[in-house]
Amino acid sequence: MRNIIIDCDPGHDDAIALLVALANPEKLNVLAVTTIGGNQTIEKVTKNAKNILAYVNANVPLAIGQEGPLVKPLNTAPEAHGDTGMDGPYFKDNNYPIVSDNAVLYMYQTIMAQEGRVTLVGLGPLTNIALLLKTFPEVKSKIEMISIMGGGIRRGNMTATAEFNIYVDPEAAKIVFSSGVQVVMSGLDVTEKAYVTLDEIESLQNRGEVHTLVYELLKFYNESGKQFGFVDSPIHDLCAICYLLDPTMFTGKRYHVDVVTDDCMTRGMTIADRRLKPAQVENVLVLEDIDREAYVHSLFQALARLDNI
Ligand code: RIB
Ligand code: CA
């Protein structure tokens, strides 16, 4: 069983990743959930995290992270996730507690309090994780790995070359990739293959409350994806969790990966050195393929557990 901290910007796919992690307590012990401004403002993504955790009666500490990137202004994604950041489902008011409004300090204290090492999961811009590594470098020896959804070594989605999470805070990503801590990157190369079809989405109806929640999330997300040319719905962030549940579901390769931070056409591009003899040691395991059937099975199995069916 692995101790993990999930840093996220819910976000439809962040929400599903949280649910699947919580549905596998024998493999993943979620020590904390932390939020980061990204898909929407920090207020909205934190409200969304509260709604998801309350919906499944989770008992996981929730801490509020940075409002925005280290250097650049925050770019949100209402066109993809709606004005709330998680449009679609309706949530009743709840009093899910916030344990800290300083996620970076809370992450540090939580990690250092563990006997063993902790795995970090980054599902949004990497601002909180970068600040943790820079502010408390001694924490690196206590981090097993950092499993992120971000980047792409062939194409972007925010721009032709940059994926959203990295584009929003490229300086943070550069800090994380060059930190010396093992990074597993679920970039668009693999996450765009990690999709659910409309039929699979429709099959979630009338099977329980959590099934219905995910149905409503994915119905909105599928409709929203059409503007970007998608027919099926890639659940990007879930890859970073599924890798921890079953890495055999994926294939990948280690590369040296660096990040473009300049304000130019390639801002946020994650560049993998694919030369026969790269100039620097490989620092990132880049996931490139997935067993989609196994991926979808992980999701459906998690929902069945959460709905006790
Ligand atoms: O590019 C996909 C990523 O951007 C996902 O993490 C999604 O939630 C958005 O944050
Ligand atoms: Ca996200």
Side-chain angles (χ1 to χ4, degrees):
M1 196 258 293
R2 186 191 294 263
N3 282 334
I4 70 171
I5 293 175
I6 302 176
D7 189 67
C8 56
D9 61 337
H12 293 73
D13 53 336
D14 304 71
I16 295 169
L18 283 173
L19 293 171
V20 173
L22 294 168
N24 287 275
E26 79 288 355
K27 288 187 177 177
L28 301 176
N29 178 35
V30 184
L31 297 174
V33 172
T34 56
T35 55
I36 178 67
N39 282 324
Q40 261 298 354
T41 62
I42 189 63
E43 294 80 11
K44 292 183 176 181
V45 300
T46 300
K47 181 178 180 186
N48 294 336
K50 285 164 65 103
N51 283 338
I52 290 294
L53 294 172
Y55 194 92
V56 293
N57 300 310
N59 181 22
V60 175
L62 174 61
I64 304 174
Q66 296 295 304
E67 291 192 7
L70 296 179
V71 176
K72 295 176 170 51
L74 175 62
N75 275 77
T76 57
E79 66 285 354
H81 296 274
D83 183 57
T84 69
M86 206 162 73
D87 281 16
Y90 163 76
F91 296 94
K92 291 183 286 191
D93 287 345
N94 66 77
N95 299 312
Y96 198 90
I98 298 287
V99 294
S100 167
D101 61 2
N102 185 335
V104 172
L105 181 59
Y106 190 80
M107 290 164 106
Y108 172 67
Q109 292 168 334
T110 301
I111 292 167
M112 299 309 283
Q114 305 307 314
E115 269 187 41
R117 296 201 292 174
V118 174
T119 290
L120 301 184
V121 180
L123 305 180
L126 293 168
T127 318
N128 290 333
I129 296 175
L131 282 171
L132 170 72
L133 297 174
K134 274 292 186 189
T135 312
F136 306 106
E138 68 274 19
V139 81
K140 292 182 184 180
S141 64
K142 294 280 287 182
I143 299 173
E144 175 93 28
M145 78 168 77
I146 304 173
S147 178
I148 71 164
M149 190 280 140
I153 63 174
R154 291 173 179 78
R155 69 175 182 200
N157 56 7
M158 185 69 180
T159 68
T161 56
E163 178 279 327
F164 176 81
N165 289 336
I166 310 300
Y167 179 85
V168 169
D169 198 341
E171 285 82 4
K174 192 176 186 74
I175 288 168
V176 172
F177 283 7
S178 62
S179 66
V181 177
Q182 184 190 348
V183 175
V184 178
M185 177 178 130
S186 295
L188 296 173
D189 315 281
V190 71
T191 68
E192 289 185 348
K193 297 173 185 173
Y195 60 82
V196 285
T197 65
L198 196 50
D199 284 349
E200 288 163 344
I201 295 170
E202 296 292 348
S203 77
L204 295 171
Q205 294 184 87
N206 307 313
R207 294 173 67 174
E209 287 187 1
V210 183
H211 281 78
T212 299
L213 168 63
V214 172
Y215 167 72
E216 291 170 348
L217 286 168
L218 287 172
K219 279 294 277 185
F220 175 89
Y221 198 53
N222 183 268
E223 193 58 36
S224 159
K226 290 176 183 171
Q227 65 189 301
F228 306 115
F230 287 102
V231 173
D232 302 313
S233 297
I235 312 179
H236 300 282
D237 289 339
L238 182 54
C239 286
I241 290 291
C242 279
Y243 178 78
L244 304 179
L245 290 172
D246 177 10
T248 66
M249 198 186 297
F250 299 87
T251 56
K253 188 172 183 302
R254 293 185 60 80
Y255 295 100
H256 181 269
V257 178
D258 201 346
V259 187
V260 176
T261 57
D262 308 319
D263 272 323
C264 63
M265 199 168 112
T266 54
R267 162 187 161 175
M269 182 175 184
T270 47
I271 301 174
D273 188 340
R274 292 189 274 183
R275 291 174 290 185
L276 290 174
K277 289 189 70 65
Q280 301 177 66
V281 293
E282 295 89 347
N283 57 340
V284 178
L285 172 61
V286 176
L287 303 184
E288 298 184 271
D289 211 342
I290 187 168
D291 175 345
R292 192 192 79 86
E293 301 300 316
Y295 187 71
V296 175
H297 174 71
S298 289
L299 171 59
F300 279 48
Q301 182 184 56
L303 298 181
R305 284 180 164 195
L306 292 169
D307 270 332
N308 298 309
I309 57 174

